[in-house]
Amino acid sequence: VPTLREVGELEAIRRLTAAWGEPAAARDTDPAGVRIGPGDDAAVLCPSPGCDLVATTDAFVENRHYLAEWFTPRELGARLAAACVSDIAAMGARPRWALHSLGVRPDHDVDALVELQRGIEVFVAGDGAVIVGGNIVAAGGLEWMSLTLLGEAGAGRAWTRSGARPGDWVAVTGWPGRAGAGLRLARSSGDEARRPGWQPLLDAWIRPQSRVSLARSLAATDAVHAAIDVSDGFAGDLMHLCKASGVGAELEAESLADPLLETAARTLGTSAEHLVFGPSDDYELVLAVDPAGREACEQVARDARIRLTFVGRFSGERAELVRRTPDGARQAFVMGGWDHFSAER
Ligand SMILES: [Mg+2]
């Protein structure tokens, strides 16, 4: 297997860009909105008329953001893409152009790099986006990879974190907490975690799905007042949204009961609720939904076959997160940093 050192930088770049076809021929029109693609000093892009440009970037560092032995190179590329695509989805936008940078050791297998890039390419292509450039450098220590993603939203139409109003529904897509549980099981149980029953948790962690198409259909209902994606954990990200909007939230904790997380919690020696609300990069969406638009949003989610759970309401009590138990009692959630989470009262 040839390494980066053996083939050299130029040949590595040639292999990485081979899949992109003939470079640099200036075009008047291109369905992907690319006038000049990879191969020149910079890409030249053609944003759609009447659209705002939406930009995000993310980076993974070896050992810190991924456990290499749990990911194929292609899955790793896809997961980096998923992290950026999720930010674009949380703006109600669609991704269009990606740029990625790699810092890799000279002994890195070149075919694995091509696979990694293929993972990014295929994931962003699912929402119609293309890679328009990149950069590769030699790293002495830990390897890292970074992706910048540009997208578009109708002028002035992008969702933000700051539009939630008291009385809006708090809604969340998918099964929050599963990605974090998958990661914890992989860390604590090693190969034990590969048993079939845990597969949905490992999938949530290793292979998160794009929510762009759902987000755009939800945006078309005009019912979404604010949004954020779950990259830290459901409660933590909901709190970011609450603070940005100047509101609080009252949740019915039982609405997110997840039988799989109940079982995982026993293995991990924690509570299912901690898994649901605590640290977990699920790349799901948390939404503030206008009460009048709830049914329309439910219909959109049913059509997309994606779980959308209405877990409570935003309140006027600024930055206060409260859970309501089945017997009607109100308990405050208290949270500190990313990995500190506890319930009080
Ligand atoms: Mg985000």
Side-chain angles (χ1 to χ4, degrees):
V1 183
T3 64
L4 207 51
R5 184 188 287 115
E6 283 157 5
V7 304
E9 184 188 347
L10 287 180
E11 172 59 13
I13 289 171
R14 194 196 63 76
R15 291 189 196 184
L16 286 169
T17 55
W20 297 343
E22 286 305 303
R27 285 166 286 208
D28 288 334
T29 55
D30 182 296
V34 180
R35 198 181 301 284
I36 299 178
D40 217 299
D41 292 285
V44 179
L45 311 170
C46 316
S48 308
C51 277
D52 288 341
L53 208 50
V54 180
T56 186
T57 190
D58 209 341
F60 285 177
V61 177
E62 192 178 11
N63 296 340
R64 224 179 128 163
H65 298 96
Y66 57 94
L67 305 174
E69 69 273 23
W70 283 85
F71 290 82
T72 65
R74 191 180 278 234
E75 286 167 344
L76 197 53
R79 196 167 192 287
L80 177 61
C84 285
V85 164
S86 178
D87 278 333
I88 298 285
M91 303 302 287
R94 67 175 178 132
R96 298 216 64 195
W97 305 291
L99 297 147
H100 81 117
S101 289
L102 287 167
V104 289
R105 287 184 292 269
D107 62 356
H108 202 113
D109 157 10
V110 177
D111 291 346
L113 289 182
V114 172
E115 275 296 293
L116 182 115
Q117 177 170 274
R118 190 81 189 123
I120 298 175
E121 236 167 61
V122 169
F123 194 94
V124 300
D127 291 309
V130 292
I131 299 180
V132 294
N135 184 39
I136 184 165
V137 296
L142 292 177
E143 301 196 327
W144 55 267
M145 62 191 76
S146 141
L147 192 73
T148 296
L149 191 59
L150 304 175
E152 290 182 335
R157 306 280 300 161
W159 291 340
T160 66
R161 298 177 178 187
S162 58
R165 303 166 201 169
D168 283 352
W169 282 101
V170 180
V172 62
T173 62
W175 297 91
R178 286 192 171 186
L183 167 64
R184 287 181 63 172
L185 286 167
R187 278 217 172 111
S188 68
S189 314
D191 275 342
E192 266 289 284
R194 293 186 202 267
R195 69 185 203 219
W198 294 147
Q199 198 55 50
L201 304 179
L202 294 180
D203 282 345
W205 168 47
I206 295 171
R207 287 172 279 274
Q209 304 294 304
S210 166
R211 295 298 183 225
V212 166
S213 141
L214 177 73
R216 299 195 46 85
S217 300
L218 289 170
T221 69
D222 273 335
V224 177
H225 289 160
I228 187 170
D229 70 314
V230 180
S231 55
D232 289 343
F234 177 54
D237 286 309
L238 173 60
M239 189 50 102
H240 291 317
L241 189 151
C242 283
K243 283 181 176 158
S245 293
V247 298
E250 190 170 311
L251 308 178
E252 285 155 39
E254 286 64 31
S255 60
L256 281 170
D258 182 342
L260 256 185
L261 290 185
E262 306 271 344
T263 323
R266 279 192 292 276
T267 301
L268 292 166
T270 182
S271 70
E273 191 166 278
H274 189 115
L275 292 178
V276 169
F277 290 95
S280 184
D281 45 354
D282 295 292
Y283 302 121
E284 296 290 355
L285 298 173
V286 177
L287 306 163
V289 175
D290 189 316
R294 173 173 169 163
E295 268 176 45
C297 290
E298 283 174 325
Q299 187 59 51
V300 163
R302 264 196 304 276
D303 292 346
R305 295 171 193 274
I306 293 171
R307 186 175 191 249
L308 180 68
T309 310
F310 289 78
V311 294
R313 300 268 201 163
F314 287 98
S315 71
E317 295 162 80
R318 191 181 154 75
E320 230 186 64
L321 209 51
V322 170
R323 84 193 274 275
R324 194 179 276 283
T325 60
D327 58 17
R330 296 168 90 249
Q331 299 175 317
F333 278 121
V334 178
M335 277 165 301
W338 189 81
D339 61 1
H340 173 81
F341 172 76
S342 62
E344 269 191 6
R345 252 191 265 161

